[in-house]
Every structure is written in C-alpha cells, then in structure tokens.
Amino acid sequence: MEELTPSQNNWLKKVWFSLRIPFLAIIFALLVGAIILLVSGANPLEAYWQLFKGAFGSLRNFQRVLEKSTPLIFAGLAVALGFKAGLFNIGAQGQLLLGALMAGFVGFSLKGLPPYIHIPLGLLTGLLTGALFAGIPGLLRAYSGAHEVISTIMLNYVAINLSDYFSEGPWKDRSPGNIVSRLPAIQPSAEIPNIGPVPVGFIVAVLTALLIWFVINRTTFGFEINSVGLNPHASKYAGMRTKLLIVAAMVVSGALAGVGGAVETMGVVGRFQPGFNTGLGFDGITVALLARNNPIAVILSSLFLGAMKGGANTMQFYANVPNEIIDIIQGTMLLFVTAEMVIRWIFKLRKQQGTEITVTSGWGQR
Amino acid sequence: MKKRLYSILAILLVAGLLLGACTPKEPVAEPVVEQPVEQPVEKPVEEPAKTFKVGLVTDVGVVDDKNFNQATWEGVVAAQEELGFEAKYIETKDAKDYDANIQLFVDEGFDVIVTVGFALGEATINAAKANPGVAFIGVDQFQGEEVPGVAGLIFDEALSGVLAGVLAANLTESKTIAAVLGTDLVPPVVNYNRGYVGGAKWVDPEIDVISTYHPGGMDVAFTDPEWGASTAKQAIEQGADIVFAAAGNTGNGALIETAQHEGLFCIGVDTDQWLTVPEAHKCLISSATKDITLSVVELIKLAYEGKFPAGNYVGGSSLAPFHDFESMITDEIQEKLKEALEAYNAGKIELPDK
C-alpha cells in the first residue's frame, strides 16, 4: 500500500482524503445534535460551549478527558487491528472487562511488590487475559468457520457473568460495611501514577498506537494481516498461513483490549467494580470507524470522544441539557461514517482508488 | 456540490422547524432543575442573608427512578419548599464521574451535597475530606468511621419489622402469621424478619410466625415471584392469615398470591407498595417503609440550622398509609404501634437472632 514515496503535496492530499469523511461526519452529527437541542428548548451554542469548557476549561477537566480517552485508544486499536485482518471484533468489551478484572485481582491480592514490578505485572496480566479470551473466537473462526461476530457477542456475556461472579463471590470486597459487588481496592504499588495532569496510562496508550502503526505498516506480520483482510484466498494462494494469521490477529486485538481494561482498573478506578467499564469496548468500534482503522487517527478520535464524555456533565450542569445528547451525537456520527455513501452523495466526492482504507471488509466484501 | 449542500441544509432546517412545531409547550425533559425559590416577602426578617444551596448527585440512572434517587430528590424539594433555597440535581451517567459530579457542586459553592446510593460512598468521603465547609448527606451509605461533614443516612430495618409484626399480631385471628423473605445473605432482610418476629411475640408470645427465606443465592432471591407465591400459599395452608413479604419482586409474588385468598392481609416492604403492586390492593394493609424523603428533609434542616451531624444518621422507619383499610386500624392498634416504637427504642423488645 505504501509502494510510492509521495511528494509533500500528495501526502497532504492523502491525509485530507482519509480525514474528510470522519471530519464531515462529525460536523453533521454536531449539526443534528444542535437541532435536537433547539427542539428540546436549549441553546445549542451554550450547550456546546459548556461541553467544550467541561472538557478543556481547566487542567483537572483536561486530565479527565485524557483519562476517558485512554481506554478508548486501546479498545479502538483492538477493533481497528481486527478490521485490518477482516475481523469484526465486537468482543473488545468482554476482553477489556476480563483484562480489568484480572488486573484488579493482581492489583489487590499481591502485596509488598515495588511499583516497577507490580504495575507491569498488572498490565501483563490484563494483556494475557484479553489475548487468551480473544483467542477462543480466533480459533473458532480459523478452524471451524464460526463467525467471530457471533462468537464474540456471546463471549461478551460470558465475560460479564464471570466478572459478576468474581465480584460477588470469591474476590468480593469484604471490608466492613461494604454491600456492593466489587473487588477490594488495589494496592498503592499497583496504582498507575500521573505525570502532572497526564496519566501515564495515556502515554502508554499513545506509544501503543505508534507501535501498532509500525507493526501494521512496516512489518511482515502487518503486511500479512492486511493481505488476509483484503483477500484471504489470494493470501493463502501466496503461501501465507491464513488460519494462523486470523488467530494471531484476534489474539493481538484481545491483548490490546485487555491492556485497556488493566489501565482502567489501575489508573482510573483503583479497583475492579462491575459497571465501571460499561460500553468502553463498544465505543472502541466507534473510535476505529471514525479513525478509519488508522492507529494514529485512533488517538485523535479517542481524544474527540473522550472530550465529549468528559465535558458532558458540565454541559448537563450549566446548560441544563440531558447528557444523553452525547449518545445521540455519537450515534449520528457513527451513522454518517459508516454510511459514507450519504456523505459522498452530499459532497459528490469521488472514490480515490488506493487512498481509501477498507473499513468493514469483514462483512460481505469477499 | 454547493447545490446539494444547500438542499441538505434546507432539509435539515425544515426538519428542525417541523420537529419544533411538534414539541409540547414545556421542554420534554429538564434534566437539571434549577428552582430558585422566591423568598417570601412577608417575613423578610427571619430569612438569613446568606444564600443556601443544596445539590444532589444521583447514582447511575435517572432522577425519577421510582426508587432511592427519586425519594431523595423529593426530600430535597420538600425541604426547599419549606426553607426556600436553591436546589439542583445532576444525573450520573458513568460511574467514573461520581467525583467530577460532586466537584461541580463544590465549585459552585453548594452548602449541602446529597449523594444517593452506597456506590457513591467513597467519592462522598473523599470530597468531604477535601472540602471541610460542605455538608454531605450520603443516602444508604453506612459510615465505618466518622468523617466530619458526612452524614450517612441509613435505616433500621428491624424497627420497620417490629411495626409490621405488631400490626400483624393485632390483626391475626388464627394466631399464625407468615413472612416471605429474600435471602438471609442480606443483613437488611434478616433484620426485617428479626423485627417482625420480635414485634409479633412482644404483642402475644403465643403467636406462631412462619418465616421462610429464599433458599437460592443473590442472583435469584429477589427475582423469583413464583417461589414467593408458592411459599405464601404454603404458609396460608398452614393457617397463616397475614403475610409479610420482604423480598423485592419475590415478595411481590407473595403479596399477589395472598390477595387471591379471601379475608387475608399482606404487608409490603421498603416503599408504599400500594403504589407499586396494585394487584395486591385486596390484602395490602400497609408496608414497612424507610422514610428516605422525610429523613433527607430532616438532615437538610439540620445543615440549614448549622447543626449538621457526622457519622451514621438513622432515618425514620414507619408503616405506609393504610389506604382502604384505614377503618380497620382502631385507636387501640395505633396506640399499640406507638407503644412498640417506644419499647423498641428503650431496647425492651427482644429480637431473635435470625
């Protein structure tokens, strides 16, 4: 895909071509949101201004945006990598959840470790948990043909129930007075710190995105993943071990989601508690689609969604707007991104061969 | 391209106008209610010069949830009507926003911040430690240790149970009453039963109480109305003529089953179940309730007067209105209930262990 060395001008053009659809989708979603705000009797400009202030109005708010973006980056990378291999990993939510659970277990149960061992150990646990859990649908897909969409959706329920079981059962926080299902708080040595307002987890997320970009675009493994995603039959004919690649792609995807869960437990929540990781994996799908599966763009789209999530409560508080409006904007955005035909029709954009990135090759494109 | 853009904008605008035309006069949902109540003009002398502001942070969910969030907000509104202050709530959408939502009220200089639900306990305590001048009311938040500025509003289920037991003992003719209970893994459920048995035996030691706990785990104990119904039926066949149901939806099954039998009574739990289980109107004489709304009013008043307590604050327990059965509740029974309350507070009602 990157055979030519394009000139500066071409490069800019290329960036615009990959960014224009998400960009226009965001603008339109905000417009639709504004209309709904108007209809419900609120002032959209005031609402959006409060949303913006809630996200960037203070250092503390900005830190929340980074905190909210971090798991989205991991989940977004997980889904994007799956898409690259032609797999639709709807199971990112379940993988993230189990990663968060196991990191929570390692975080509270191991005592007396120094942070430089405890934190990496927790992250590694999340990574392995997510990888193993995603390996199941990977194997099923590769060797029995069971579609990963179905199996990952079902495994999400397995993950939810497993985490509920451990939070209410063997690993429940038995501290006096506690009545809710949750794990005990993690040890201070397992807490991922902040550098100023920047959570270390966010830095790890950004570095991971760069790493994934490198792997996808500059390594043989990445090339093979891309090939399998574009045309599994041709890849097989070319001598690639497609089944192994499918499993590997799922495993790496799950590992990313699992680390995301671990960072969430150890960097933000401070313990595993059911209900605190709801929807993150699914938001990863939005992030990946908005970023058109480009790992670098995943960082940007995560920051965008994170800012909306971070600013929502300020918007509710000062502009008297229900924060469900954020869901509406996000949904509309997703609609416009996926239904890019609509955007193309509106703006009469022509398809540029070679510059577009296949988004949903998992469904009906082969 | 421009033409199409214009046409789309035109469509959007028209859609906006049409939708606008369809909307009711009042905004559909007003999530954050700001009700700066006008100061009564008649008595300006008594009104303190300071502004007083009360904020409420819901647990994940909406404020009109027919449950804790709603009952608490109703308390804030009731106190507001009485005292006249600014009140506002914020609905929590993401459990990770507990701290941030509390902080919004702190930043705006609110005097009292009410947080609803055990899950907000940690966030509430942290906020109280960081903001000494603010009074925090934690609904359903048991305080393991006293933190200045935090009043954990908890309830004495045993007292509610005693009142239910005394009522049942006064109404029973067969001298056999029953309790259908959720799992004994949950302390409040056990306490309801301890009070119920203790209260009934306090009236008449000869009374036989058939108490049955759901044998399943947490996952099914409160969501098994069939078990509730069959357990109530068994107890009725054994001669019970009053059924106290303290088991969530499982208990609702017991209430509805009891309503199928002529001349029997049933007693609901937690809230006035007359409003939540209309199928049981035929037998529902009352409910053993937690006075969330009233207790929130009390605590806000204490904060208003500068007498805010810290630590656990045990909210009121009472029986819900008797509705259609008002005429059956004689002065004698009313008297007995009052007496029971005093006896309980004096520690004179003996409660069984389970």
Side-chain angles (χ1 to χ4, degrees):
Chain A
M1 294 188 98
E2 305 255 350
E3 315 94 323
L4 301 169
T5 356
S7 72
Q8 186 82 16
N9 187 31
N10 277 344
W11 186 81
L12 273 174
K13 227 177 185 171
K14 208 179 143 185
V15 168
W16 164 240
F17 275 125
S18 9
L19 284 187
R20 59 184 181 175
I21 301 280
F23 182 72
L24 294 172
I26 288 172
I27 300 288
F28 262 81
L30 290 175
L31 266 176
V32 170
I35 289 173
I36 292 168
L37 285 170
L38 259 179
V39 167
S40 61
N43 176 354
L45 289 178
E46 166 74 6
Y48 285 155
W49 172 238
Q50 292 299 347
L51 184 66
F52 181 80
K53 278 212 316 205
F56 303 108
S58 74
L59 215 56
R60 198 176 58 208
N61 292 1
F62 182 59
Q63 181 180 336
R64 283 185 66 229
V65 170
L66 295 183
E67 277 176 2
K68 288 190 182 282
S69 309
T70 306
L72 297 183
I73 296 179
F74 284 111
L77 289 173
V79 177
L81 191 91
F83 277 142
K84 284 278 181 193
L87 299 164
F88 193 175
N89 180 13
I90 299 184
Q93 176 64 35
Q95 294 140 22
L96 188 145
L97 200 60
L98 287 190
L101 173 77
M102 292 308 294
F105 174 67
V106 168
F108 86 80
S109 61
L110 300 179
K111 294 175 179 97
L113 293 178
Y116 55 85
I117 293 180
H118 207 166
I119 293 172
L121 193 65
L123 293 178
L124 191 68
T125 310
L127 182 143
L128 289 176
T129 311
L132 284 174
F133 197 61
I136 301 168
L139 285 170
L140 287 175
R141 170 63 193 267
Y143 294 100
S144 78
H147 204 290
E148 78 283 353
V149 166
I150 311 295
S151 53
T152 53
I153 287 179
M154 293 196 294
L155 283 167
N156 278 342
Y157 290 100
V158 174
I160 291 170
N161 284 311
L162 273 178
S163 63
D164 281 357
Y165 167 72
F166 281 106
S167 314
E168 182 55 43
W171 296 346
K172 184 175 179 174
D173 178 12
R174 303 275 173 206
S175 59
N178 177 50
I179 53 168
V180 296
S181 342
R182 66 183 190 194
L183 266 56
I186 59 172
Q187 305 291 329
S189 56
E191 284 169 11
I192 305 178
N194 296 339
I195 300 175
V198 183
V200 170
F202 179 78
I203 300 172
V204 176
V206 169
L207 292 177
T208 309
L210 296 175
L211 178 72
I212 295 297
W213 179 87
F214 183 82
V215 168
I216 287 177
N217 294 298
R218 295 283 184 272
T219 67
T220 317
F221 176 67
F223 177 76
E224 290 185 336
I225 292 268
N226 270 319
S227 313
V228 171
L230 291 171
N231 192 333
H233 301 297
S235 309
K236 194 173 180 187
Y237 195 67
M240 294 177 197
R241 295 152 80 184
T242 51
K243 290 187 175 181
L244 205 64
L245 278 168
I246 285 175
V247 179
M250 272 311 279
V251 165
V252 176
S253 175
L256 288 165
V259 179
V263 170
E264 194 66 356
T265 294
M266 297 159 66
V268 181
V269 185
R271 60 152 46 96
F272 179 81
Q273 183 164 347
F276 274 64
N277 300 290
T278 312
L280 293 175
F282 299 118
D283 287 337
I285 299 170
T286 311
V287 166
L289 289 174
L290 204 55
R292 324 220 84 203
N293 300 331
N294 179 331
I296 309 296
V298 160
I299 303 173
L300 298 178
S301 58
S302 297
L303 278 170
F304 179 71
L305 281 192
M308 293 218 301
K309 285 169 180 292
N313 67 337
T314 306
M315 182 180 74
Q316 189 197 159
F317 192 83
Y318 289 106
N320 295 351
V321 166
N323 49 21
E324 277 74 20
I325 195 77
I326 298 299
D327 292 338
I328 295 177
I329 293 173
Q330 199 178 320
T332 318
M333 212 160 57
L334 193 60
L335 192 71
F336 281 124
V337 173
T338 46
E340 58 173 82
M341 285 299 293
V342 180
I343 300 276
R344 280 187 197 292
W345 175 77
I346 294 170
F347 293 96
K348 265 196 165 171
L349 299 178
R350 267 179 297 124
K351 197 152 191 139
Q352 291 267 320
Q353 285 301 326
T355 56
E356 290 298 331
I357 301 154
T358 316
V359 179
T360 48
S361 57
W363 284 99
Q365 290 209 356
R366 42 189 132 124
Chain B
M1 164 162 170
K2 267 204 175 130
K3 223 177 186 175
R4 282 174 194 246
L5 186 58
Y6 286 141
S7 59
I8 285 299
L9 278 177
I11 290 169
L12 284 175
L13 283 173
V14 171
L17 283 173
L18 286 175
L19 283 169
C22 303
T23 40
K25 282 251 161 58
E26 276 182 313
V28 206
E30 220 169 281
V32 183
V33 179
E34 206 166 351
Q35 292 172 305
V37 160
E38 63 287 355
Q39 307 281 323
V41 212
E42 300 87 47
K43 40 170 187 173
V45 197
E46 285 169 25
E47 292 300 324
K50 60 164 186 171
T51 58
F52 193 73
K53 296 197 269 188
V54 179
L56 177 143
V57 182
T58 71
D59 202 344
V60 176
V62 292
V63 80
D64 48 353
D65 62 352
K66 295 203 168 89
N67 208 317
F68 274 27
N69 285 341
Q70 184 167 347
T72 310
W73 175 242
E74 281 168 3
V76 173
V77 172
Q80 180 195 33
E81 279 164 7
E82 200 169 324
L83 302 171
F85 52 73
E86 184 184 335
K88 192 178 176 105
Y89 67 79
I90 186 163
E91 292 176 337
T92 303
K93 193 162 190 279
D94 179 350
K96 284 189 286 274
D97 289 341
Y98 290 151
D99 306 88
N101 287 348
I102 293 174
Q103 192 62 41
L104 283 168
F105 285 114
V106 171
D107 288 347
E108 285 300 307
F110 274 65
D111 305 276
V112 178
I113 299 173
V114 190
T115 62
V116 188
F118 186 86
L120 278 86
E122 274 182 1
T124 305
I125 286 172
N126 291 340
K129 284 179 176 162
N131 304 284
V134 185
F136 287 89
I137 301 174
V139 177
D140 204 24
Q141 293 167 20
F142 177 81
Q143 303 292 305
E145 56 186 279
E146 197 173 299
V147 178
V150 186
L153 177 56
I154 55 169
F155 294 91
D156 186 357
E157 289 87 5
L159 174 55
S160 305
V162 165
L163 297 175
V166 170
L167 179 68
N170 276 290
L171 291 170
T172 181
E173 285 168 6
S174 63
K175 298 289 171 207
T176 306
I177 61 175
V180 177
L181 304 149
T183 171
D184 56 1
L185 297 171
V186 178
V189 173
V190 177
N191 286 332
Y192 271 126
N193 185 54
R194 291 174 61 220
Y196 183 65
V197 176
K201 301 245 183 210
W202 175 75
V203 175
D204 180 355
E206 298 299 309
I207 283 182
D208 193 14
V209 187
I210 308 169
S211 296
T212 319
Y213 286 99
H214 193 288
M218 287 290 295
D219 46 339
V220 289
F222 297 96
T223 51
D224 192 354
E226 287 83 14
W227 181 87
S230 64
T231 307
K233 198 172 179 192
Q234 272 176 29
I236 291 165
E237 278 163 7
Q238 290 173 44
D241 57 358
I242 294 173
V243 176
F244 172 46
N249 202 21
T250 304
N252 295 349
L255 297 178
I256 293 166
E257 172 65 30
T258 312
Q260 313 289 320
H261 301 263
E262 275 302 319
L264 301 189
F265 294 119
C266 56
I267 301 171
V269 82
D270 281 344
T271 56
D272 185 357
Q273 294 213 273
W274 185 270
L275 309 173
T276 51
V277 189
E279 299 95 318
H281 280 181
K282 265 187 74 186
C283 69
L284 196 82
I285 187 145
S286 185
S287 304
T289 59
K290 304 175 171 180
D291 292 336
I292 296 177
T293 305
L294 206 67
S295 311
V296 170
V297 174
E298 281 169 15
L299 277 169
I300 291 176
K301 275 188 187 165
L302 287 172
Y304 191 79
E305 293 157 4
K307 296 181 208 152
F308 193 67
N312 288 309
Y313 183 88
V314 182
S317 300
S318 64
L319 290 177
F322 304 108
H323 297 285
D324 287 0
F325 298 98
E326 193 71 54
S327 58
M328 299 204 55
I329 310 301
T330 58
D331 290 350
E332 200 182 321
I333 297 179
Q334 293 278 20
E335 200 52 45
K336 201 77 185 163
L337 286 169
K338 259 183 220 154
E339 217 179 290
L341 182 63
E342 280 160 24
Y344 177 82
N345 287 335
K348 283 182 188 154
I349 296 184
E350 210 174 303
L351 303 184
D353 288 337
K354 219 181 145 184

